[in-house]
Amino acid sequence: MIKELWRRELRLHLVLANYHTPQKFTQTEWQDPRRPAALWYVVYRWLSAALFFAVAVCSVLDTGRADSPKLGVRYIKWPIYLTNWGLVCCCLQAGLGAALATVSLGQEGRRRRAERAAAAAGPGSPAAAQQNLQQSLQAPALPVAYRVYWVLNTISVTVAIGITCTYWVAVYDPREHELDALNILVHAANSLLMITDVLLAAHPLRLLHAFWPLLFVAVYLGFSFVYFMAGGTDRVDRTCVYPVLDWEKPLSTVVVCVLGLSFVVAVHTAVWALHLGRRRCGRALRRFARSMCEAKMAANKNPGDKKDPGVQLDAMA
């Protein structure tokens, strides 16, 4: 089974951000897939987006830090850190995901009203014919907005977890960095929010889509090298943005880059496995709910058999 799973995931065309069921990107795994996006899930998406944007604003302003650098230095050098690149990506995917879920919920409401109007007009009416024609002409390809969200979400979850692990293991220094609320929000809460998103969302995560976070991190590594060659410094005027990414020591830095890119693949694989577990649990829960519903319907069809425990057990089975 594992061999078949890997063979199914390692097909070259899966590198493309395309999927046959767009509504999966606006639904949660823990709902009936035949229904529109659950209202509580839409509310969750907006709360997640609001929290990400609030953390980003607090990060730019260094909220709560009395010994932070001058205001101009904060604004100018905020974009040189990989943490902030990942935070921007998280904000974009959260906002776009919330918008897509909201639009999908509204479209479903309009579609249901149109179906009721077509049913009231009769199957041979022009309204019903037009609705059937529109349904038959729906394109199976994933819309561009959904593709962009999928790519941003894949990058965000892998990079967020990678940033959290790398920061607390290799970058954090209690003599230099404060262990305050902002530090925890930027370097830990981002991963918790993205893992929660993986556990709740219904859309798939492809193994070959590790290409996207790899490209994201590679672009940042290239930027850090160009920034160093241009004489750029960090907020305290050091020549390296991160101590582990010091281009004055090119050999060790290249080794760090290779290890970092390998770690990105490992994190993405772990997230992919988590998403498989979520899908398996969701399917098992839906099968259980379906079997309970069928057993209840079978019991209701034969009300005289309710008194017989053996019949009830057979229906449940």
Side-chain angles (χ1 to χ4, degrees), residues 105-123:
L105 188 62
Q107 288 178 344
E108 182 64 21
R110 290 192 294 271
R111 186 184 67 83
R112 289 188 174 186
R113 289 192 294 269
E115 286 181 350
R116 287 194 294 268

Side-chain angles (χ1 to χ4, degrees), residues 265-276:
V265 176
V267 171
H268 183 83
T269 304
V271 175
W272 171 72
L274 179 64
H275 131 272
L276 290 181

Side-chain angles (χ1 to χ4, degrees), residues 72-316:
V73 176
R74 282 204 300 260
Y75 289 154
I76 293 174
K77 296 191 176 180
W78 189 84
I80 69 174
Y81 294 93
L82 179 61
T83 298
N84 299 333
W85 282 37
L87 187 56
V88 169
C89 195
C90 288
C91 290
L92 293 176
Q93 68 84 28
L96 184 56
L100 291 176
T102 304
V103 171
S104 175
L105 188 62
Q107 288 178 344
E108 182 64 21
R110 290 192 294 271
R111 186 184 67 83
R112 289 188 174 186
R113 289 192 294 269
E115 286 181 350
R116 287 194 294 268
S125 64
Q130 183 178 4
Q131 181 185 357
N132 295 331
L133 178 61
Q134 289 177 353
Q135 291 179 353
S136 63
L137 293 178
Q138 286 179 351
L142 195 65
V144 175
Y146 289 76
R147 295 172 187 254
V148 173
Y149 164 74
W150 198 7
V151 171
L152 290 176
N153 182 268
T154 302
I155 293 173
S156 297
V157 63
T158 302
V159 171
I161 297 174
I163 287 173
T164 297
C165 297
T166 304
Y167 176 79
W168 295 109
V169 171
V171 177
Y172 175 72
D173 186 354
R175 296 169 299 180
E176 179 183 349
H177 305 104
E178 295 185 19
L179 189 60
D180 53 13
L182 181 59
N183 199 356
I184 294 174
L185 285 173
V186 172
H187 295 106
N190 57 340
S191 295
L192 293 177
L193 285 172
M194 293 309 305
I195 291 174
T196 302
D197 197 73
V198 172
L199 294 175
L200 290 181
H203 63 78
L205 192 145
R206 300 295 192 197
L207 186 60
L208 287 181
H209 283 185
F211 167 78
W212 297 112
L214 274 174
L215 180 61
F216 183 86
V217 175
V219 169
Y220 176 80
L221 294 176
F223 161 78
S224 69
F225 177 73
V226 173
Y227 186 75
F228 167 77
M229 295 299 295
T233 59
D234 68 352
R235 290 186 176 185
V236 292
D237 294 329
R238 291 179 301 191
T239 56
C240 59
V241 178
Y242 292 105
V244 296
L245 202 62
D246 187 358
W247 288 104
E248 289 184 345
K249 305 172 183 177
L251 183 59
S252 61
T253 302
V254 170
V255 172
V256 168
C257 292
V258 173
L259 292 176
L261 293 174
S262 303
F263 184 61
V264 169
V265 176
V267 171
H268 183 83
T269 304
V271 175
W272 171 72
L274 179 64
H275 131 272
L276 290 181
R278 179 207 74 201
R279 293 180 63 183
R280 183 177 292 272
C281 291
R283 289 172 180 173
L285 184 62
R286 286 192 292 271
R287 283 196 298 267
F288 176 75
R290 191 180 304 116
S291 64
M292 294 295 293
C293 182
E294 291 174 354
K296 185 177 180 180
M297 292 175 62
N300 290 335
K301 287 182 180 179
N302 302 296
D305 296 336
K306 292 183 179 180
K307 298 180 182 180
D308 187 355
V311 174
Q312 289 184 339
L313 290 176
D314 290 341
M316 291 297 293

